[in-house]
Amino acid sequence: MFLDEAPGQGGIQQRAEALMRSLGVKGDPALVFDQLNGFVLNITDQQAQRLRALGGVRSVEADAAVFLEPPIPGSTDSSSALQPQAAGTTALTSYGNGKASSGETLPWGVRAVYQGEDISARGNIASDSFAFVIDSGVLSTTGDLNLASTGSWHRSWISGESAFTDGNGHGTHVAGTIAALANGTGVVGVAPGANTVSLKVFNSSGGGASYTTIIDAINHAVKVINDNKLDKSKAVINMSLGGGFSSSLDTAVKNAAGQGILFAIAAGNSGQDADGYSPAAAGDHPNVFTISAVDSNYRMASWSNWDRLDSLDSVDDVDFAAPGVSVLSYYQNGQLAYLSGTSMAAPHIAGLLLTGGVKAGDLVTPHYSGTADPFAWGVTPSSSEPEQEPPGPDPEPSTDQILWGTTGNDTITGGSGNDRLSGVLASGTTASAMGAGQIDVITGNAGADVFVLGDGRGVFYDDRNSGNLGTADYALIRDFTVGSDRLQLRSNSYLTSTSNGNLSLYWDRNGNGRLDTGGRNRDELIAVLEGVSGISTSDVVFV
């Protein structure tokens, strides 16, 4: 159970006890989340219904088992994206594993998030930061991790197994990606030398956890951070775990994030909208980073969860894409192994948050059923980019926007950020909802903007009438900057023509590869780019 607001005199323990007395239930609450404004009660379904009806109650939810998702079999994912590969990713350089200047292996993902830089050359730059890993435990025998020296910070919720027991290997793999030392041994992590805190909630088979134990682990981590006055810009909680949607788990994460605590969370491996999975669905909070997975060619994996945006849900819970296919780190018995999954992607962001922050790179190639995310790039203090602090409890609103139109003629103008703009109703499936019969004026303004002219539903501004030249349904795009902005199109069957300094974009209706301007096979005009004489494949993203 979680309350809407923090209790007054007496605290959360007393509030829980008062609620139990009001129900006629004897005894104490089973567990109190004193840092998160929640608690656990052993009550009946009927009593739970009575609690839900009370004022000031945010959620009452039955506890349930949570299982650790196993890594995706195989080291590669050849089906991770539709062909052709999105031209918009050409600015993203593909990397393989390399040799770190400190002597060990530099995994491809660590190279990619730092845009090719060998982070080991800076030494153990994260030794003053803290990574709380809620997982299957972290082995103390790798010789390549800086485990926090205060023993009480580590904790196990599995009977008979310490926080440093990891028969599963999942937690150790995550910890290695975050924080493996630059010491000439094994691999180097994204945040070399970060103090790792092991919070073990899963047993060796990936079971043994419930929402209650995971929330208790979050509460423990928050208490350590608050009681020891840790710098919250140098502490992160990594949760490479998840299950079905849980309002309690999402509330716990957001209540902690509202205190300025940072989270890196796996989007999930079900190939579905992350809105239906927790804690991934908490990614709409500015301090919670939900992460999808891509391979070394920046193609979103077919199994990675995503967040489709529409007019009913315009908030993107999935913030960044990160390396999640064939990621090398420590595993069972402390041996190095390649694993794949969004569980492997999230710790890359955890590491970046500990070394200066994360910023949006170019969009990755989306899987056909999902929405493309920007690839995560690190912001380190000595980089040429100005240092960006992670957001605190009350961050300023992002200048990045997602702007959708209606079924009428819209005028849409972007802001100063990297915006996504479309004159089409995002949730529409009918011809009229997809832009047919309307003329929209869309202006990008500053930033690397994406003008959405097609998605998984089909081609926008197609009125389904082969006899229409398109004079009554298209998008007039202003301020399109070649080399910076992008067009998102449904497939590669498009043609262009230039007239009076403007570029016209047509859908090749019959796929014959030539522009047909007469007869029943006229090609459909879907956009006019004002003041643009030509575009290249790098200006286009196909989905």
Side-chain angles (χ1 to χ4, degrees), residues 208-280:
S210 69
Y211 288 123
T212 290
T213 56
I214 293 171
I215 293 170
D216 199 29
I218 297 171
N219 190 77
H220 176 79
V222 174
K223 184 173 178 60
V224 169
I225 293 170
N226 286 335
D227 287 356
N228 293 278
K229 296 180 171 56
L230 300 185
D231 183 345
K232 291 177 181 175
S233 70
K234 295 184 177 182
V236 65
I237 299 174
N238 190 93
M239 299 180 70
S240 289
L241 55 85
F245 180 79
S246 165
S247 60
S248 297
L249 183 54
D250 283 7
T251 297
V253 169
K254 290 181 179 181
N255 284 358
Q259 301 175 47
I261 293 173
L262 304 172
F263 286 82
I265 293 177
N269 300 339
S270 301
Q272 300 293 325
D273 193 317
D275 287 342
Y277 296 83
S278 294

Side-chain angles (χ1 to χ4, degrees), residues 409 435-440 461 463 468-475 524-525:
N409 298 331
Q438 68 193 70
I439 300 176
D440 297 318
Y461 304 99
D463 64 359
N468 182 10
L469 281 172
T471 56
D473 59 310
Y474 66 92
E524 186 81 16
L525 175 68

Side-chain angles (χ1 to χ4, degrees), residues 427-446:
S427 61
T429 56
T430 65
S432 61
M434 293 174 63
Q438 68 193 70
I439 300 176
D440 297 318
V441 180
I442 308 175
T443 304
N445 274 335

Side-chain angles (χ1 to χ4, degrees), residues 118-132:
D118 178 2
I119 194 65
S120 75
R122 304 183 187 220
N124 294 308
I125 61 170
S127 59
D128 61 345
S129 64
F130 299 88
F132 294 80

Side-chain angles (χ1 to χ4, degrees), residues 100-132:
S101 62
S102 52
E104 68 264 62
T105 299
L106 185 65
W108 75 266
V110 179
R111 298 180 70 192
V113 296
Y114 287 121
Q115 302 179 65
E117 179 186 354
D118 178 2
I119 194 65
S120 75
R122 304 183 187 220
N124 294 308
I125 61 170
S127 59
D128 61 345
S129 64
F130 299 88
F132 294 80

Side-chain angles (χ1 to χ4, degrees), residues 403-440:
L403 302 174
W404 299 97
T406 69
T407 56
N409 298 331
D410 300 307
T411 300
I412 299 174
T413 303
S416 60
N418 302 327
D419 304 322
R420 291 173 59 85
L421 309 99
S422 177
V424 172
L425 183 66
S427 61
T429 56
T430 65
S432 61
M434 293 174 63
Q438 68 193 70
I439 300 176
D440 297 318

Side-chain angles (χ1 to χ4, degrees), residues 89-108:
T89 64
T90 54
L92 294 168
T93 303
S94 295
Y95 298 97
N97 292 341
K99 187 77 169 180
S101 62
S102 52
E104 68 264 62
T105 299
L106 185 65
W108 75 266

